[in-house]
Amino acid sequence: MICKKRTMPNELKALISLDKRLPNNNDKKHAVQKKLLICQAGYNGELEYDAHINEFQPDYPHAILHDLYLQHAGAYFQIDSLVITPSSITIVEVKNHKDKTVIKANPTQFIRIFQNGDRKPMRNPYTEIDRKIHLLKNWLDNRGIQIPIEGILTFAHTNELAIEHPSPEMKTMFTYEAPSHFRSLPVNEHILDGHAIYNLAHALLEHHKDYNPFPLADLYDINPADIAPGVICPACDRLGMKWGREKWNCPSCGHTGKTEHQQTVQDWFMLIKPKMTNRDFRYFTQLNNRNVARGLLAKSGLQLIGERKAAHYVVMKDKSPTH
Ligand SMILES: [Zn+2]
């Protein structure tokens, strides 16, 4: 059973917003769009894996958790997908890029061959997975759980893959092959019973923390003044909705609504900084009226801290700005 579903990563949500608000002539535009494409492709590959793994429904107790971000002894590690069965745990790494990938053995090398024929060595994903196995093993040791952990590397089917002999040290397959791999796993030794699997999945969920790269202006060294303010119309995707007659109105397509500023507020926290004053709100929504701003902010689900000139809003604790 799926104990943790995948949602769009914070970084991808923020990059989509940043791309909309960063003018074409900004010198970081290219880097942002490149990163956006990589993140989007990665997420699509993971969604494809998720769709396939839904087919894996064994009759023994098990748990599947997608996209975990854990910490052990100060080291963070992210797991694309985790499968827990009574006799083993599998860490699944999902790769998705449109270029051809060649995997060579002795020594292991990953080479990407671009459409124009250029070849570029890529970071060895086996080393990455080994690191995650090591950290997860220590995490489990701390909780008195000893169980074999294996790693598999999967590629979305849009990839072109060439594995050269002799076969590499870690199981490598397309995402659509993952369910049959899991069905073929022997479940002889019952190290974890259904109750223990449930408890472990629960503990992992409790220790998971959403990866938070905010604010992106800092991450990409972008001057916040270069990020275009304004309320984006959800119907036509254009900036510049105007407040009038108690609602937002789009001068481009005529769409109206009362809650369109909420995405703008989220964009502020994802892109600019972790707090927002009434003045910040008015600047970023391009709204002139301080009292209307106060009213909208009061209904935004944000927490008000301080009084008068020091007053500002922050995202409620335990609540991601994008949820
Ligand atoms: Zn519109």
Side-chain angles (χ1 to χ4, degrees), residues 24-214:
N24 284 331
N25 61 4
N26 188 282
D27 60 354
K28 298 288 163 55
K29 183 77 173 178
H30 180 68
V32 167
Q33 288 189 326
K34 200 172 157 191
K35 183 73 183 169
L36 172 59
L37 282 176
I38 293 169
C39 277
Q40 185 71 63
Y43 183 53
N44 289 344
E46 288 159 6
L47 290 178
E48 189 195 288
Y49 166 84
D50 296 354
H52 290 300
I53 205 65
N54 283 338
E55 289 169 25
F56 176 59
Q57 292 175 357
D59 49 13
Y60 52 76
H62 66 285
I64 297 169
L65 296 99
H66 296 314
D67 193 21
L68 282 171
Y69 190 57
L70 301 168
Q71 191 200 4
H72 180 78
Y76 284 91
F77 57 112
Q78 189 269 339
I79 294 172
D80 289 341
S81 187
L82 193 75
V83 178
I84 308 170
T85 76
S87 5
S88 68
I89 292 181
T90 305
I91 290 178
V92 184
E93 180 88 3
V94 184
K95 292 278 173 218
N96 188 20
H97 38 72
K98 60 182 189 306
D99 318 299
K100 180 174 178 176
T101 306
V102 177
I103 308 172
K104 292 184 172 194
N106 298 326
T108 304
Q109 274 182 298
F110 280 74
I111 301 155
R112 277 174 81 166
I113 301 177
F114 295 90
Q115 275 152 350
N116 64 6
D118 284 355
R119 298 162 74 91
K120 196 178 155 196
M122 63 184 259
R123 219 159 116 171
N124 182 346
Y126 297 151
T127 316
E128 271 294 293
I129 299 171
D130 274 337
R131 173 182 172 268
K132 292 173 188 184
I133 291 174
H134 172 74
L135 289 167
L136 182 65
K137 189 183 171 304
N138 290 345
W139 192 92
L140 291 168
D141 276 349
N142 262 11
R143 285 155 184 85
I145 299 170
Q146 267 96 38
I147 185 165
I149 306 174
E150 70 153 8
I152 64 169
L153 175 62
T154 70
F155 284 85
H157 82 283
T158 41
N159 287 252
E160 206 187 324
L161 199 58
I163 302 174
E164 291 187 3
H165 290 287
S167 50
E169 71 233 50
M170 199 176 285
K171 291 200 178 77
T172 305
M173 63 194 75
F174 285 112
T175 49
Y176 67 81
E177 296 172 303
S180 70
H181 166 74
F182 285 113
R183 276 193 293 270
S184 73
L185 283 183
V187 180
N188 307 323
E189 206 185 346
H190 284 244
I191 300 167
L192 301 173
D193 61 14
H195 189 64
I197 290 176
Y198 173 85
N199 283 344
L200 173 55
H202 192 74
L204 286 162
L205 276 174
E206 231 174 29
H207 286 84
H208 161 79
K209 201 172 163 287
D210 275 336
Y211 172 63
N212 182 342
F214 307 144

Side-chain angles (χ1 to χ4, degrees), residues 233 235-237 250 252-255:
C233 170
C236 71
D237 224 22
C250 177
S252 302
C253 75
H255 171 82

Side-chain angles (χ1 to χ4, degrees), residues 217-261:
D218 287 356
L219 194 68
Y220 287 92
D221 195 21
I222 294 169
N223 181 354
D226 292 344
I227 296 174
V231 175
I232 296 173
C233 170
C236 71
D237 224 22
R238 288 199 182 93
L239 269 166
M241 292 191 88
K242 304 232 177 309
W243 183 261
R245 276 172 275 144
E246 303 208 331
K247 55 183 192 265
W248 292 104
N249 305 275
C250 177
S252 302
C253 75
H255 171 82
T256 63
K258 286 181 182 290
T259 56
E260 277 65 13
H261 59 284

